[in-house]
Amino acid sequence: DSGVTQTPKHLITATGQRVTLRCSPRSGDLSVYWYQQSLDQGLQFLIQYYNGEERAKGNILERFSAQQFPDLHSELNLSSLELGDSALYFCASSPPLENTEAFFGQGTRLTVV
Amino acid sequence: DAKTTQPTSMDCAEGRAANLPCNHSTISGNEYVYWYRQIHSQGPQYIIHGLKNNETNEMASLIITEDRKSSTLILPHATLRDTAVYYCIVRLPQGAQKLVFGQGTRLTINP
């Protein structure tokens, strides 16, 4: 158990809909990262938040947005969903220290039908 | 971040040492080499990291060449549960740095 909690574990929704994925980081970790992994694809970095502020942005679509709340949990919002958005979405967190590893949650499997 | 190159796939017999190579010829002086693995759609798991000295922990050993242009992750006695995709990542030591994953090496441990 990495200490990072993602909910829900599975989500099935229709095209055009909007969903929210939630991530609770490890206690004390200020950074939250979101990754997308499509079927048989690598892990694509989407976005990072640090203590409530956006820190880095990757290949995140305009239909996707994220935020980190004062209690440090984060949400990834996916809207106008398309079939191609079906993927595993991972959240990771890391402490505000040099040279430490990131800890990943078990992911949310999103299926768009 | 420096780019890394890894073989697409490797096989290893159970009980033998698995040696996974990684090239990172453009690594800069203060960048570290990190290894993660992902077991069948689970969240990636940290294995080990190092700067220039060889490192060992309960999971693996990391051998970094003197010129730091390549490294090898060693799983000393591979088990079936070590079957996974292994990612070699180069990153700066500063805290809160995002990880950029390549395609990794798919390691299959055979009975």
Side-chain angles (χ1 to χ4, degrees):
Chain A
D1 181 7
S2 68
V4 178
T5 304
Q6 290 188 246
T7 56
K9 287 187 170 49
H10 302 276
L11 196 50
I12 301 175
T13 190
T15 55
Q17 295 298 304
R18 171 190 168 94
V19 297
T20 297
L21 313 183
R22 182 187 170 99
C23 171
S24 294
R26 294 187 329 145
S27 177
D29 287 358
L30 300 183
S31 269
V32 169
Y33 314 78
W34 286 98
Y35 289 83
Q36 178 194 54
Q37 187 172 38
S38 303
L39 187 65
D40 293 331
Q41 297 295 312
L43 287 146
Q44 299 294 318
F45 169 72
L46 294 178
I47 198 165
Q48 175 198 359
Y49 278 81
Y50 181 86
N51 203 22
E53 300 290 325
E54 183 183 302
R55 169 68 72 94
K57 212 166 189 176
N59 298 322
I60 186 167
L61 299 173
E62 285 191 12
R63 299 184 286 109
F64 296 0
S65 65
Q67 54 185 327
Q68 186 179 27
F69 295 87
D71 67 353
L72 300 177
H73 91 271
S74 178
E75 293 181 354
L76 180 66
N77 300 296
L78 315 176
S79 62
S80 303
L81 285 167
E82 303 175 357
L83 296 178
D85 297 327
S86 296
L88 273 166
Y89 291 84
F90 290 104
C91 166
S93 73
S94 67
L97 301 169
E98 281 199 358
N99 240 348
T100 59
E101 67 266 33
F103 298 84
F104 283 78
Q106 287 306 300
T108 293
R109 183 176 293 278
L110 173 67
T111 303
V112 182
V113 297
Chain B
D1 292 339
K3 182 180 169 64
T4 62
T5 304
Q6 299 177 252
T8 303
S9 62
M10 294 181 64
D11 286 88
C12 179
E14 188 178 19
R16 304 296 293 268
N19 297 292
L20 292 91
C22 178
N23 286 323
H24 31 79
S25 59
T26 60
I27 192 170
S28 63
N30 61 343
E31 286 182 312
Y32 281 69
V33 180
Y34 276 71
W35 285 83
Y36 283 75
R37 73 180 182 183
Q38 186 178 24
I39 298 173
H40 188 55
S41 299
Q42 295 180 19
Q45 177 189 26
Y46 164 81
I47 301 173
I48 198 168
H49 74 276
L51 180 63
K52 53 186 175 182
N53 298 320
N54 297 339
E55 302 288 344
T56 296
N57 62 19
E58 66 279 4
M59 289 182 68
S61 294
L62 174 60
I63 309 296
I64 302 174
T65 58
E66 193 167 343
D67 63 8
R68 302 210 323 121
K69 293 184 177 182
S70 65
S71 59
T72 301
L73 178 74
I74 301 172
L75 307 177
H77 305 286
T79 70
L80 298 178
R81 285 185 292 184
D82 291 322
T83 293
V85 178
Y86 287 76
Y87 297 96
C88 168
I89 298 167
V90 172
R91 51 156 286 194
L92 293 167
Q94 285 86 350
Q97 294 289 313
K98 69 179 187 291
L99 297 172
V100 179
F101 289 84
Q103 291 303 306
T105 295
R106 183 174 297 276
L107 175 66
T108 302
I109 306 301
N110 300 306

